[in-house]
Amino acid sequence: MKLGVRWTLHGDGRTPAPGAVVRPDERLSWPRTVGLGAQHVVAMFGASFVAPVLMGLDPNLAIMMSGVATVIFLLATRGRVPSYLGCSLSFVGVAATIRASGGDSATVTGAVFVVGVALFLAGLVVQRFGARVIHAAMPPIVTGAVVMLIGFNLAPVTASTYWPQDQWTALLVMLFTGLAVVCLRGFFSRIAIFLGLVFGYLLSWALDRIFGKIHSPLGGGEAVDHWRLDLSGVAKADWIGLPSFHAPSFEWSAILVALPVVIALIAENAGHVKAVGEMTREPLDDKLGTAIAADGAASMLSTAVGGPPNTTYSENIGVMAATRVYSTAAYWAAAGFALLFGLCPKFGAVVAAIPGGVLGGITVILYGMIGLLGAQIWINAKVDLSNPLNLVPAAAGIIIGVGGVSLKITDSFEIGGIALGTIVVITGYHVLRAFAPAHMKEQKPLLDAGTSSYDSDAAPDSGVTRDPDSTGNPGTDGGPAQRA
């Protein structure tokens, strides 16, 4: 059985020939391939390490399981879809909501485990029936609204938890990161979030040396005197060791909060597969369902041992576009590096020590980007918001999701925020569509931009390589690649 673990040497093994690309089943020399693998790890650093910290999970376990998830994905797709699977930022709001309701890390990972199951099953359905099922159930007005409310629902987390810890550091980090996203080019623009973290880390250290401790709320609690950058945990951490594992626990209230993220993950996986197919000039329609199912399976495995869920990373699409190297061998090397980092507790302690003020500046941009990706889906799909059929369910669902509106079902159970907003968008759209006059339903629902040709008779690969940013990949992992 072909597993996609054999590669032919491309040319002389040094650089791609003019106008050529290194295909997924090819590789450069092994030293260059390993170097590219390290570059892919750096590209995903920012989001993949920020996400577990924001979710309250072990960053060491997160990076280790991202390596495992990448291996699962490469094997499942038989090496045809080069991709790195890193921690998904789409679940940060879910984790914050669950913890605010009294849940712990086990409750968070249990809820997300169920999302992984749902994503896995969705992949099997797409594999069996094709992308038309996504057309029918989740037209762009629905997916865009859900992605938007997931991102904007996070605004209170930044405003009440991170920004108040050190407002001036947060402001400077926000400005630096914004400049990095806009002004840097090539590879450095792909790692703008990571550069913002490094800048904030060094800035916090310098401010501690110059001004001493700061008096501010710590983690949303009471105002106390504390160091901006506390490295005491780094000194105590071992150089080599296993990350902390824990089993998930399952609560219906938490599961209902997490399930809407399935929509965002399906959309971003679809966009990712289409983007890679166009860049490698190889139709990957038949791998869409497999890719979605593999993402779900990898997330199930990660959350089963206490890690975060994973998703395809658009930052790594940017690295491939810049280097013209799409070899899956580089991703195997990246997965190996991730496993090694996961076995270094001291490295995880450095990540866990990221100051709250730094996270405040990063998340202002990051969470806003996630929300606005919903608008990008609408724009790419040419959604008509003057049509009440589109406008009403999206407007109602977004306000409910962002504002934290809740619906009390019984004395011990209520649904609100992301979960209720998503239900309103999906059911509202389909119910209204059933009763809407014919002229409001004239526009056929389209799959998210970048995947609309999967069910068409024409071959999706036109032979023209486009910038990955134009594919409409939602990329809710939070990286700047598709937006820089």
Side-chain angles (χ1 to χ4, degrees):
M1 182 171 61
K2 184 178 179 182
L3 297 177
V5 293
R6 292 185 178 181
W7 305 272
T8 58
L9 188 67
H10 177 87
D12 60 2
R14 295 182 179 180
T15 57
V21 299
V22 180
R23 297 171 58 83
D25 59 350
E26 298 178 328
R27 65 169 176 84
L28 298 177
S29 65
W30 281 115
R32 287 175 172 79
T33 297
V34 171
L36 284 167
Q39 190 172 358
H40 279 297
V41 172
V42 173
M44 65 83 181
F45 260 13
S48 206
F49 284 140
V50 169
V53 171
L54 297 177
M55 294 175 68
L57 301 176
D58 184 355
N60 268 88
L61 183 57
I63 188 63
M64 174 185 286
M65 295 312 297
S66 75
V68 174
T70 299
V71 169
I72 292 173
F73 187 89
L74 293 174
L75 290 175
T77 58
R78 302 291 191 267
R80 288 184 58 199
V81 186
S83 180
Y84 193 92
L85 266 63
C87 183
S88 174
L89 274 163
S90 298
F91 291 91
V92 172
V94 167
T97 301
I98 293 173
R99 290 185 183 278
S101 301
D104 56 12
S105 294
T107 311
V108 171
T109 52
V112 178
F113 177 88
V114 176
V115 175
V117 174
L119 186 63
F120 175 75
L121 295 176
L124 296 183
V125 171
V126 172
Q127 191 173 22
R128 173 65 180 83
F129 298 103
R132 292 186 187 278
V133 295
I134 306 179
H135 279 273
M138 297 182 300
I141 183 62
V142 171
T143 53
V146 172
V147 171
M148 188 175 292
L149 68 87
I150 287 173
F152 292 158
N153 179 266
L154 297 168
V157 177
T158 295
S160 61
T161 302
Y162 298 120
W163 190 278
Q165 293 186 42
D166 188 354
Q167 60 177 358
W168 294 112
T169 294
L171 180 62
L172 291 174
V173 169
M174 180 191 72
L175 294 174
F176 177 90
T177 305
L179 287 171
V181 170
V182 174
C183 298
L184 296 180
R185 293 290 180 268
F187 173 70
F188 289 104
S189 71
R190 310 295 176 184
I191 61 170
I193 299 297
F194 175 67
L195 296 178
L197 289 173
V198 173
F199 170 78
Y201 216 98
L202 296 176
L203 176 63
S204 297
W205 178 85
L207 293 177
D208 280 342
R209 303 284 81 74
I210 297 172
F211 299 107
K213 293 184 177 181
I214 185 174
H215 184 79
S216 67
L218 191 59
E222 297 291 330
V224 295
D225 290 331
H226 62 92
W227 296 109
R228 296 169 180 82
L229 178 61
D230 184 1
L231 296 176
S232 58
V234 177
K236 298 175 183 177
D238 296 327
W239 280 102
I240 299 176
L242 290 172
S244 58
F245 300 96
H246 70 259
S249 65
F250 303 95
E251 296 182 11
W252 274 111
S253 58
I255 292 171
L256 289 175
V257 170
L259 273 175
V261 182
V262 170
I263 296 174
L265 296 181
I266 291 174
E268 70 184 19
N269 271 282
H272 184 95
V273 170
K274 182 61 178 181
V276 172
E278 290 195 351
M279 288 191 295
T280 59
R281 302 174 185 177
E282 178 183 359
L284 295 175
D285 307 29
D286 59 318
K287 289 299 179 183
L288 175 59
T290 303
I292 294 173
D295 189 357
S299 293
M300 289 164 59
L301 178 60
S302 178
T303 52
V305 297
N310 294 285
T311 189
T312 49
Y313 260 35
S314 58
E315 287 91 339
N316 300 94
I317 285 185
V319 173
M320 290 189 293
T323 61
R324 295 183 293 130
V325 178
Y326 305 101
S327 172
T328 54
Y331 283 103
W332 278 91
F337 280 119
L339 291 172
L340 292 176
F341 278 125
L343 294 173
C344 180
K346 193 172 288 292
F347 181 76
V350 171
V351 175
I354 297 173
V358 176
L359 293 176
I362 292 290
T363 55
V364 163
I365 295 177
L366 211 53
Y367 294 167
M369 282 181 169
I370 295 172
L372 289 176
L373 287 173
Q376 182 183 4
I377 292 174
W378 290 344
I379 293 170
N380 290 336
K382 297 180 174 62
V383 172
D384 182 10
L385 289 179
S386 66
N387 185 341
L389 177 58
N390 294 328
L391 181 63
V392 172
I398 289 172
I399 290 299
I400 288 173
V402 174
V405 176
S406 62
L407 185 65
K408 190 171 184 179
I409 308 299
T410 67
D411 290 338
S412 59
F413 179 76
E414 68 177 31
I415 186 172
I418 294 174
L420 182 59
T422 300
I423 291 173
V424 168
V425 173
I426 296 177
T427 60
Y429 174 81
H430 289 290
V431 169
L432 291 175
R433 184 174 177 82
F435 293 98
H439 71 275
M440 290 187 183
K441 298 184 288 186
E442 288 177 356
Q443 182 180 0
K444 180 182 177 182
L446 299 173
L447 192 62
D448 298 276
T451 57
S452 58
S453 62
Y454 275 120
D455 288 324
S456 65
D457 295 331
D461 181 19
S462 63
V464 179
T465 302
R466 297 188 303 175
D467 187 295
D469 299 355
S470 65
T471 64
N473 176 19
T476 49
D477 53 274
Q482 74 277 16
R483 298 173 295 279

